[in-house]
Amino acid sequence: MSADQTESSSTPPRTAEHFDAVIIGAGFSGMYQLLKLRDHLRLKVVVLEMGDGVGGTWHWNRYPGARCDSESHSYCYYFDDALLKDWEWTERYPGHEEIRRYLNHVADRYRLRPDIRLNTQVRTARYDVRDNVWVVETSQGQRYTSQFLITAVGCLSAANVPDIPGLANFSGRWVHTGQWPHEGVDFRGKRVGMIGTGSTGIQCAPEIAKTAAHLTVFQRTANYSMPANNGPLSAEFKQYVREHSDEIRQVMHSTPNGHPFRFCDRSAFDVGADEREAIYEEAWRKGGLQFRASFRDLLSDQAANDTAAEFIKAKIRQIVHDPVKAEILSDIDHPFAAKRPPIDTHYFETFNRDNVELVNLRADPIEAIVPTGIKTRNASFEFDIIVFATGFDALTGPLLRIGIEGRNGLRLADAWREGPRNYLGLQVPGFPNLFTITGPGSPSVLTNMPVAIEQHVDWITECIDYMRKHGLSKVEPVESAADAWLLQVQAAANATLLPKAHHSWYLGANVPGKPRVFMPYAGGMAQYRRLCQQVVERGYDGFELVA
Ligand code: NA7
């Protein structure tokens, strides 16, 4: 039946193309979901992508220094051994160009492009209860209907440009790192102000400083960071990866965060102070997120965490020559890794350059952007370019920016007024047949994303397959399951030190007015996978499936 029947009499009727499933987004998750539904279940599927290319997050994040903090051999699909064998990463941490090349390779290899519509931004998605279809409308005026609607919109894709008074009057140029111009930005000879010192600012600053006449970094919250120790991969390592993909997959599936390394099963206090220092020193030398895995209790025990925090703060003071800058950079107010820990290439060293200045916004906050630059309470700064490395309206932002409306006109924005409420991060009560890949309430950003994505896509595919084999047309979680899951998500977070970073985007604290709720599931990827599997084994416990 046509979705046109849902229109009010004042809306001119438009024909809609009908699909079994509409997928929103052509990044890692949308492309894999397309492949599974189209080639494995033989469904009629379309992917709607607002960008002019595939790649999702990596289509937009092209700022200088943009690089993934998962190691390249783990930041890829593991569903097909043939794909694993015919792609070779060049560096330990993949840069944005290489990741885009990889995702374009995947799009070509599996002939995905014919079913991806680029430059197509979903504006609204409304559930029509009578026909059991989703009615999707795009900003370009197209209309689609489908039984299933699957969001593959990413967790960090809605750029957060802070509402600082005066931005519209700035006479120079401003850019947000998450919406970087494809043609690049030429910093040569320019006076640049950069706001934000999360993973992005920490990657970006050293690169900007290399060519800019002057770079001023505005820091609101000091951050831990450790060396990435990035570099070309050796021939031996590439061969190891080729020959051990099963083993690597198995490790990624058994660890809490989906990375290809295990956490050491020792407490920070199982060893003496000297040995602990030596362990941290070695982890610092190796670089990367493995530092977190040095001891099992770094994220659960404050005293253990303090040992790592003190080590890193001492490193910052050692690296940064100017004691005033060193103090500002090492004055960190949250536990180590309670915010997503960045890894860097010469970030702290950058502050030893003559052309780099640091402003401590805790002591001297920004008051306004003026035509010539930025005015803080105590000073004025002149800039040609302002870079906003101010992050994202994470997890819920990309979903709420689409006008999603479920049964009886229930808007997702209203259902989530107090924070995201769903079951397993996969489905929301009142929104039948809507699946949210790596939605809030799932491990998502606390893990190596492709691992979380593959698990969600496989689960969704299995669920749809089950429905079709059993003549079921609708799936939706029951209210009590969503209530219980919300409590489980909060309990998992509270068992860690993560909520102690009061200003983190995990809690929505970086966006004014956003409800303060810890959003990702912190119980670990392996545990989450088990829970999802149990739900299936118990006949989709917590979901209502109807014919
Ligand atoms: P983050 O981690 O959210 O960092 C954003 C930074 O911008 C952070 O230092 C913020 O300070 C700062 N910020 C945000 N708004 C303002 C205003 N209004 N004034 C001053 N400073 C501000 O985003 P990233 O892009 O760096 O990283 C996101 C993830 O992408 C990362 O974790 C990786 O997973 C990849 P704050 O800490 O809020 O005081």
Side-chain angles (χ1 to χ4, degrees), residues 533-542:
Q533 199 45 43
Q534 271 169 18
V535 163
V536 174
E537 284 158 11
R538 293 176 188 157
Y540 289 92
D541 192 17

Side-chain angles (χ1 to χ4, degrees), residues 53-54 58 68 78 191 200 238 247 276 304 308 364 367 480-481 530:
V54 302
W58 299 103
C68 186
Y78 264 72
R191 298 161 303 170
T200 301
K238 288 178 187 172
E247 209 175 305
R276 196 163 52 234
D364 188 14
E367 284 194 335
S480 58
R530 273 193 294 277

